[in-house]
Amino acid sequence: MNIQKVAAWSRTVAAASCLLLTALFAETPAVAAPAAAAPAVATPAAAAAVDKYLNGLGSWSADFEQTIDDGHGNVLRSAAGRLYLQKPGKFRWDYSQPSEQLVLADGKQIWFYDKDLAQANVRDMDSSLASTPASLLSGVSSVSTQFNVTALPPSAGLQWFQLVPKHADTDFQLVRIGFDKGELRSMFLADKLNQITQLTFSNSKRNLSLAPDLFSFTPPPGVDVIGRDGK
């Protein structure tokens, strides 16, 4: 997988990786998507419920499993690893499967690194990341200002919320997040190409002490860096 594909795939999650259409859920037998409310109406109460969780989240870590399919249940890519978040604006996705990759935001820049390819891509974190799940969890923006939020019926033992970006200048259409007793367990996301990303979280820990150097990255010697010094 070349660095462009690595960056594009990882950006789906970290730079907001996301957002999925209600219609696509119905067309995807491979995943148990939550049923949509009819009609789905955004409410202040739903936004407040999500904000309550996020406002109490200073840091977070979890194991994750990630799949991306074509919207018809055909899995295009799958991966797994460990995620770390630290407010404000820092996150780290350590991919261990199928290969070692890293997506890291230090609050100012976001890095995409592929160990096997010895390549890294760096870009500034900008407003295009604001309306994304990763930025919400890491404290870059608030739910009520960036998303229209709808409470959905419980499904698969989880309480679901749907978030639709208020601004059109994002790469994503919508995201659904599922909570189990107040803990984030699942995210379903759809991008503008109608590809669906599913993230499942386990072994999560909240408000733990994380070392500052966990959110810094220095390219190892010999790594080709794209996006620096005009490259």
Side-chain angles (χ1 to χ4, degrees):
M1 184 183 297
N2 60 35
I3 190 64
Q4 288 81 10
K5 290 182 179 179
V6 170
W9 180 26
S10 301
R11 189 170 187 272
T12 304
V13 177
S17 8
C18 341
L19 311 180
L20 62 98
L21 297 171
T22 301
L24 289 179
F25 280 132
E27 296 172 358
T28 309
V31 295
V41 179
T43 65
V50 177
D51 267 328
K52 181 180 180 181
Y53 174 82
L54 298 176
N55 290 340
L57 193 67
S59 63
W60 193 66
S61 70
D63 294 329
F64 69 88
E65 295 183 358
Q66 174 187 354
T67 61
I68 298 179
D69 71 47
D70 62 2
H72 300 282
N74 301 310
V75 175
L76 304 175
R77 293 180 290 277
S78 61
R82 185 78 182 173
L83 162 66
Y84 305 88
L85 299 169
Q86 177 74 62
K87 289 185 178 179
K90 298 179 180 180
F91 51 81
R92 179 188 183 107
W93 299 74
D94 274 318
Y95 288 83
S96 56
Q97 300 177 23
S99 61
E100 292 187 42
Q101 299 168 12
L102 171 68
V103 184
L104 183 146
D106 60 14
K108 295 181 179 180
Q109 294 180 314
I110 181 168
W111 288 89
F112 308 93
Y113 170 58
D114 187 295
K115 182 178 180 180
D116 291 343
L117 295 178
Q119 290 181 321
N121 185 301
V122 60
R123 63 173 65 110
D124 291 335
M125 295 184 69
D126 55 29
S127 59
S128 67
L129 302 185
S131 296
T132 69
S135 67
L136 283 174
L137 292 174
S138 53
V140 173
S141 58
S142 67
V143 168
S144 57
T145 59
Q146 298 294 335
F147 291 88
N148 292 314
V149 184
T150 304
L152 301 178
S155 177
L158 302 181
Q159 175 61 59
W160 291 91
F161 295 89
Q162 176 173 289
L163 286 71
V164 178
K166 291 183 177 181
H167 307 291
D169 59 343
T170 66
D171 292 336
F172 312 101
Q173 300 182 48
L174 66 84
V175 59
R176 289 179 177 178
I177 54 179
F179 294 94
D180 176 20
K181 298 181 177 65
E183 289 298 324
L184 180 62
R185 291 291 180 245
S186 186
M187 299 177 76
F188 289 84
L189 323 114
D191 63 24
K192 289 187 176 180
L193 297 177
N194 291 339
Q195 291 185 352
I196 295 178
T197 297
Q198 178 183 358
L199 288 161
T200 303
F201 303 107
S202 60
N203 301 319
S204 61
K205 297 180 180 179
R206 54 186 293 151
N207 296 330
L208 67 167
S209 179
L210 298 174
D213 59 3
L214 192 64
F215 302 101
S216 64
F217 176 73
T218 300
V223 168
D224 182 24
V225 178
I226 301 170
R228 175 181 286 176
D229 299 326
K231 295 177 64 176

